[in-house]
Amino acid sequence: MTRPILYTLRQCPYAIRARLGLRLAEQEIDIRDISLTDKPAEMLSITPKGTVPLLVLSNGDYIDESLSIMVWALNQHDPHNLLLADSTHLFTDMINLIARNDCKYIAALEHYKANIRYHNPDGALYRHLCQSFLDDLELRLNKHRFFMCDHPSLADYAILPFIRQFSHVERQWFRHAPYPKLKTWLEQHYQDPIFSQVMKKKPLWQSEPSTPSSHYETV
């Protein structure tokens, strides 16, 4: 049986999220870093959607949503209890927090990035909309070390790539922003070897049969 294949883009926050989930679940998987300007025919033959991440399972099925990839991987193996199996009272809150990130915060973040990039005056407005979510995260981190409790959960890793992205829009502003706990949380993830592993730069995958795919070894 062949290993599952993940088509990914190194800096895409959705792809980062998927790689984090797979690595944290200790899944052995082939990683194919691609260019969106030269998408491989193998990828497009699976689904014409042409977006990353795309996880192709050993049986030929595929998953093309980052959060679904994380959940699939952790349902196979969850050594760090990221799904909070022993804290069901927190599970609903965790899912709602991720949904708020995905449905409201990311939309504001996309507007924020675009307005700052093109020097539009609405940048501060969309930054403020993002901050309503960051304020909630800061309050949570004042109560415990991570968003849900004193150990990481799915929420921390699902939201991480998008907090990272926000921090890069106006680096100087974020450096002085009133989020000491969130900045410590972010730096803690940056120092984690797992984050370094999923962000490691690899050569772009080529279609030639002789080109090996990079893969994570199970731990």
Side-chain angles (χ1 to χ4, degrees), residues 1-199:
M1 181 181 294
T2 60
R3 287 190 293 260
I5 297 167
L6 180 72
Y7 292 93
T8 182
L9 191 67
R10 180 172 175 267
Q11 293 289 354
C12 170
Y14 294 98
I16 294 171
R17 173 193 265 185
R19 296 197 306 271
L20 280 168
L22 292 161
R23 183 65 185 83
L24 289 158
E26 299 175 352
Q27 296 295 302
E28 189 174 354
I29 198 153
D30 285 338
I31 301 292
R32 295 182 175 180
D33 284 349
I34 68 160
S35 168
L36 290 182
T37 60
D38 187 21
K39 299 173 187 177
E42 292 89 343
M43 174 184 168
L44 296 174
S45 70
I46 296 162
T47 168
K49 185 178 176 182
T51 58
V52 295
L54 173 65
L55 179 67
V56 185
L57 304 179
S58 301
N59 64 2
D61 291 340
Y62 67 87
I63 308 173
D64 61 1
E65 296 291 341
S66 59
L67 186 61
S68 298
I69 291 172
M70 295 187 86
V71 172
W72 173 85
L74 292 168
N75 277 329
Q76 312 304 307
H77 185 47
D78 187 8
H80 307 288
N81 191 27
L82 300 182
L83 295 178
L84 304 179
D86 57 352
S87 305
T88 53
H89 62 291
L90 294 176
F91 184 81
T92 299
D93 185 30
M94 178 175 72
I95 296 302
N96 288 339
L97 182 65
I98 297 171
R100 185 179 172 195
N101 175 83
D102 288 12
C103 297
K104 294 184 178 181
Y105 168 72
I106 290 177
L109 176 60
E110 290 300 316
H111 285 292
Y112 174 44
K113 290 191 304 175
N115 278 271
I116 294 300
R117 182 182 302 121
Y118 296 110
H119 307 288
N120 293 333
D122 288 341
L125 169 64
Y126 287 109
R127 183 180 68 206
H128 181 73
L129 292 176
C130 291
Q131 284 185 257
S132 65
F133 184 61
L134 302 190
D135 291 343
D136 183 19
L137 299 182
E138 185 74 12
L139 286 174
R140 288 171 178 270
L141 294 172
N142 277 317
K143 297 176 183 177
H144 24 68
R145 294 178 58 214
F146 297 92
F147 291 156
M148 306 307 306
C149 51
D150 282 329
H151 69 80
S153 71
L154 174 65
D156 293 276
Y157 291 104
I159 294 172
L160 169 61
F162 303 97
I163 302 302
R164 173 180 180 265
Q165 196 172 62
F166 177 91
S167 74
H168 289 176
V169 178
E170 293 180 286
R171 293 175 188 265
Q172 186 69 12
W173 182 92
F174 186 77
R175 189 173 296 116
H176 298 285
Y179 299 113
K181 296 290 187 180
L182 188 61
K183 285 183 277 190
T184 297
W185 170 91
L186 188 60
E187 184 62 28
Q188 183 174 344
H189 282 294
Y190 287 165
Q191 297 302 320
D192 188 336
I194 287 176
F195 186 78
S196 299
Q197 290 164 10
V198 302
M199 293 303 297

